[in-house]
Amino acid sequence: MASSEDLLAGLAKPQVQHLQRLMRTWAPLSDISFADLLLYVPSHPVVSAQPVVSAQPSAPTQSVAPNQPPARTEYAIAGQIRPSTARSVHHNDLIGTVYTAAQRPLVDVAYREGRIVDGGRIGHADQPRVRTLTVPVLCHGEVIAVMAREFAPDTRRNPGELEISYFKVFRRLAAMVAEGEFPFPVDDAATEDSPRVGDGLMLLDASGRVQFISPNASFALHRIGLHGDVQGCHVAEIGLEQSAIRAAYASRLPQTEEIQHGELGALVLRCLPIIGNSELTGAVVLMRDISELRHRDRLLVSKDATISEIHHRVKNNLQTVSSLLRLQGRRVKVAEAREAIEESVRRIRTIAVVHEILSRDATRDAPFVDIARSLVRLVEEGLISPDKPVQFKVTGDAGELEVDLATPLAVVLNECLQNVMDHAFRDLPAGHVQVELANNGRRVGLRVIDDGVGFPADFDITQATGLGLAIVRSMVSTDLRGSISISSIANSGLADKSIAKSMADSSDRPGTVIEVTVPLPGTGGGGGRTS
């Protein structure tokens, strides 16, 4: 079945843009009319439409004859929207469905004669009592499509005052469509926060006086502290901020504005000017009370600020502990004890790095590449001496990780870097270290690659007794439920990749690849490489 874009392909570009704007902005028309709206476009060449003489609806009829013999015409549905204020009569997607002129005579009349036709009844297999009102869509003086309002009348009750008032508004907007005044020449598509008809509607006359206000609109005004009967009052007398309304009247274009009323009240207003016979005749004001939403936003901002402050204080406290340990280490005479204190200082600083990054943005997630770069800088500052330069490089991206994953993984990376600096370049004048990060949506991968002396041939990480590797092994297997492996570059499968080739003097060194794979929370990702 053809798509909407395919069905509009035969029209000129301005006509396509006009119909696309109509379909982006016709939600209020569907809601106000309590009906489905369908956009019919001719799918075969037709006899030229008659000059448009009037956009006023004709008397209810189903047998309006064109002034000249009809061509063999078919109409395809290029757009469809369902109302949020009533039950839809079309449960299926009808875009691409084709009807003959005989099957949709009112569509054919509206297209050929350029006038609104009301009162017809069309038959559907699933809904035999669908009534329609067809509206010609005018663009630069030419009818290019037909917008049809289709609904199932409820014969068990008479329409209420609200429905009658809404339908009168729809007829005025439909006349704008038939006169080429709607959609507006600007892209006024509703956003997620924009008010809908069901949120509240107020109808103004040409002078800005309230002709009609829906119960929901009245309730929204009461929620922000504007009480009293506004029917017949000018907008200026209500006490409502009217800059958006004034701008809509002056420009004849829709305007949307968020209004803060008092400390707690907030409204979103969307003003649609009504134009008839090239004259401004009034406006439709849609309003939505967002007081509670903005109150929650303020609470979230306050909560975010509190979380950021907590991370900042934790970072400061960890740095204080680190400084105290460093002072104590200077007083220790035993070299082994002093080295243990220095290692503890580095591990505390690693955790402080995570909280420092989290303090910048109040969230449970931290960009791990920023953590990796910060840890590399710490290693460069604290472990590298001028007589033994080591070049570091961080590649890839592990994405944003939850703090419960980022913190232990940062400790693992720090221990791996510490191990490299302690052992990989012990008898070498210089070296290269690359930290590679990866995330495939199920697992996070971490590789630390160096072109150093490598591990002994009989090395087994499960039997390693060093504290650093014991911490890494415990965290990866127990806390992170991941896997870790250590191998030479040649045995890792990376020897022919640019990762190893970029290390200029690695040809005569075995090098080491430490690879850690960790499943992401809630994904069920198992072990295995991530890239």
Side-chain angles (χ1 to χ4, degrees):
M1 188 172 289
S3 66
S4 179
E5 291 76 11
D6 296 334
L7 297 169
L8 300 180
L11 299 174
K13 185 176 180 180
Q15 296 174 337
V16 173
Q17 293 174 340
H18 188 83
L19 294 180
Q20 288 175 339
R21 279 199 304 272
L22 174 63
M23 289 185 285
R24 283 196 297 266
T25 59
W26 65 352
L29 279 69
S30 177
D31 292 342
I32 290 175
S33 66
F34 301 95
D36 295 72
L37 296 183
L38 301 175
L39 183 68
Y40 290 87
V41 295
S43 59
H44 289 288
V46 298
V47 173
S48 299
Q50 297 296 316
V52 179
V53 296
S54 174
Q56 299 303 315
S58 65
T61 179
Q62 195 177 0
S63 59
V64 179
N67 293 330
Q68 49 186 301
R72 185 176 179 82
T73 310
E74 292 181 342
Y75 295 93
I77 297 178
Q80 176 181 9
I81 188 171
R82 298 179 175 90
S84 63
T85 53
R87 185 172 57 186
S88 172
V89 297
H90 299 300
H91 305 296
N92 300 323
D93 184 359
L94 298 179
I95 293 178
T97 305
V98 178
Y99 295 99
T100 64
Q103 291 173 313
R104 292 293 183 271
L106 299 188
V107 171
D108 190 54
V109 171
Y111 184 84
R112 293 177 182 282
E113 300 185 9
R115 60 188 179 89
I116 297 175
V117 186
D118 191 7
R121 179 175 296 179
I122 57 178
H124 289 276
D126 58 341
Q127 178 55 267
R129 294 188 59 259
V130 175
R131 291 178 63 87
T132 186
L133 179 150
T134 55
V135 182
V137 180
L138 196 70
C139 177
H140 301 300
E142 181 182 355
V143 177
I144 60 174
V146 174
M147 182 184 73
R149 171 186 183 252
E150 299 188 358
F151 69 105
D154 187 352
T155 58
R156 294 171 296 180
R157 68 176 184 87
N158 294 322
E161 180 185 356
L162 180 70
E163 293 172 284
I164 295 173
S165 299
Y166 275 19
F167 187 66
K168 289 180 180 178
V169 175
F170 169 76
R171 295 298 286 262
R172 295 172 69 178
L173 294 175
M176 289 177 61
V177 174
E179 293 175 3
E181 300 285 358
F182 190 97
F184 297 98
V186 296
D187 200 344
D188 183 51
T191 64
E192 183 179 349
D193 293 334
S194 296
R196 299 289 297 265
V197 170
D199 296 321
L201 180 145
M202 188 164 61
L203 178 64
L204 307 180
D205 64 14
S207 66
R209 291 191 175 276
V210 180
Q211 291 184 313
F212 170 79
I213 183 169
S214 72
N216 283 353
S218 180
F219 180 71
L221 293 179
H222 293 170
R223 284 287 305 275
I224 65 171
L226 300 179
H227 300 282
D229 185 11
V230 302
Q231 192 90 16
C233 297
H234 194 276
V235 176
E237 302 170 357
I238 300 175
L240 184 67
E241 170 61 42
Q242 52 177 323
S243 56
I245 298 174
R246 285 199 301 265
Y249 272 62
S251 65
R252 297 193 178 191
L253 295 174
Q255 302 289 334
T256 302
E257 182 182 19
E258 181 174 324
I259 297 173
Q260 188 73 30
H261 192 86
E263 295 184 359
L264 301 178
L267 281 179
V268 174
L269 294 185
R270 187 172 178 223
C271 184
L272 305 175
I274 300 177
I275 301 170
N277 297 320
S278 301
E279 297 292 333
L280 181 70
T281 61
V284 175
V285 179
L286 305 179
M287 62 180 69
R288 178 186 177 194
D289 175 25
I290 56 170
S291 303
E292 190 64 29
L293 181 62
R294 290 296 173 259
H295 176 64
R296 290 198 299 267
D297 287 345
R298 288 191 290 270
L299 290 179
L300 287 174
V301 169
S302 176
K303 182 179 178 181
D304 288 348
T306 302
I307 293 173
S308 294
E309 179 64 19
I310 290 172
H311 284 303
H312 183 71
R313 293 190 181 188
V314 169
K315 184 254 308 184
N316 289 344
N317 290 339
L318 289 173
Q319 289 180 336
T320 300
V321 172
S322 175
S323 300
L324 292 174
L325 285 174
R326 189 179 293 110
L327 288 173
Q328 185 177 359
R330 293 173 183 172
R331 296 174 178 268
V332 173
K333 304 300 182 182
V334 181
E336 184 177 353
R338 187 166 54 251
E339 183 178 346
I341 291 177
E342 290 176 354
E343 289 180 353
S344 297
V345 168
R346 284 193 291 270
R347 287 164 187 144
I348 291 172
R349 290 181 69 186
T350 298
I351 299 174
V353 164
V354 178
H355 286 281
E356 180 182 11
I357 291 174
L358 287 169
S359 69
R360 300 172 191 166
D361 187 10
T363 176
R364 285 184 52 83
D365 300 337
F368 193 76
V369 67
D370 291 348
I371 295 174
R373 289 175 180 142
S374 297
L375 294 179
V376 166
R377 283 195 297 270
L378 287 178
V379 172
E380 289 176 326
E381 294 169 0
L383 299 177
I384 298 176
S385 59
D387 59 336
K388 186 180 289 189
V390 177
Q391 297 181 11
F392 285 83
K393 185 178 182 182
V394 179
T395 64
D397 190 358
E400 294 192 351
L401 306 181
E402 292 184 2
V403 63
D404 294 340
L405 173 58
T407 300
L409 194 59
V411 174
V412 167
L413 175 57
N414 177 68
E415 294 299 329
C416 291
L417 293 172
Q418 174 70 29
N419 188 280
V420 168
M421 297 310 300
D422 287 347
H423 303 288
F425 308 111
R426 186 182 309 161
D427 301 320
L428 298 175
H432 302 79
V433 179
Q434 178 152 313
V435 177
E436 185 186 50
L437 307 175
N439 185 333
N440 65 5
R442 300 186 64 211
R443 299 181 299 275
V444 173
L446 166 65
R447 286 195 188 111
V448 179
I449 309 166
D450 68 75
D451 59 353
V453 298
F455 280 86
D458 59 348
F459 177 80
D460 184 359
I461 190 173
T462 61
Q463 305 299 323
T465 58
L467 178 60
L469 286 180
I471 291 175
V472 170
R473 187 175 65 241
S474 174
M475 279 193 161
V476 171
S477 61
T478 304
D479 296 351
L480 301 176
R481 299 179 293 108
S483 61
I484 181 172
S485 64
I486 298 180
S487 61
S488 65
I489 291 178
N491 295 331
S492 67
L494 302 177
D496 60 340
K497 293 188 176 182
S498 58
I499 296 172
K501 288 181 179 180
S502 65
M503 298 180 178
D505 57 351
S506 63
S507 58
D508 59 344
R509 304 177 191 173
T512 304
V513 177
I514 304 176
E515 183 167 4
V516 176
T517 303
V518 176
L520 288 169
T523 63
R529 293 191 176 182
T530 58
S531 62

